[in-house]
């Protein structure tokens, strides 16, 4: 069973999104901006972490997460490794950090 936790501030878990059983590969999820009680949360910086939840006698296992975002600019360099992408939130990413373009 997989789940995604939404964290705010200094690491406070504001919501856990159960994903159920998943096959290997990417699993999509959406968060509606609400906490576990259904209250809409204020704008801010939130962090996501996904995990395989433990079964009897097993430890929880963290899994990688990826977030989709719009790209507002691309700065290419002569050596591709130094190229940069800027997202609509102002995040500056190296090409090596991009996993897919759709």
């Amino acid at each position: 069973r997989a789940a995604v936790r939404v964290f705010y501030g200094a690491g406070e878990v504001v919501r856990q999104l159960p994903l159920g059983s998943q096959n290997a590969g990417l699993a999509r999820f959406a968060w509606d901006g609400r906490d576990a009680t259904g209250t809409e949360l204020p704008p801010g910086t939130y962090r996501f972490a996904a995990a395989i939840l433990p079964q009897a006698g097993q430890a929880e296992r963290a899994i990688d997460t990826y977030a989709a975002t719009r790209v507002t600019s691309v700065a290419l360099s002569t050596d591709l490794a130094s190229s940069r992408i800027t997202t609509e939130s102002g995040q500056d990413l190296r090409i090596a950090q991009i996993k897919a373009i759709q």
Side-chain angles (χ1 to χ4, degrees):
R1 297 177 311 129
V4 173
R5 291 187 183 108
V6 182
F7 297 88
Y8 183 68
E12 172 191 4
V13 176
V14 294
R15 180 111 177 246
Q16 179 167 297
L17 307 167
L19 301 180
S21 295
Q22 296 289 320
N23 292 323
L26 296 178
R28 294 186 184 271
F29 73 93
W31 175 52
D32 60 6
R34 298 179 184 278
D35 68 12
T37 67
T39 303
E40 189 171 331
L41 294 169
T45 301
Y46 294 86
R47 184 176 61 83
F48 297 91
I52 303 296
L53 301 178
Q55 295 180 352
Q58 296 179 334
E60 184 172 290
R61 184 171 52 108
I63 52 179
D64 291 334
T65 58
Y66 305 99
T69 187
R70 293 187 191 276
V71 172
T72 57
S73 69
V74 176
L76 298 175
S77 66
T78 54
D79 66 333
L80 189 57
S82 298
S83 295
R84 311 291 291 187
I85 291 177
T86 304
T87 68
E88 67 183 344
S89 66
Q91 188 176 19
D92 186 45
L93 302 171
R94 294 183 327 271
I95 290 291
Q97 294 174 280
I98 308 302
K99 300 300 180 196
I101 298 174
Q102 296 182 343

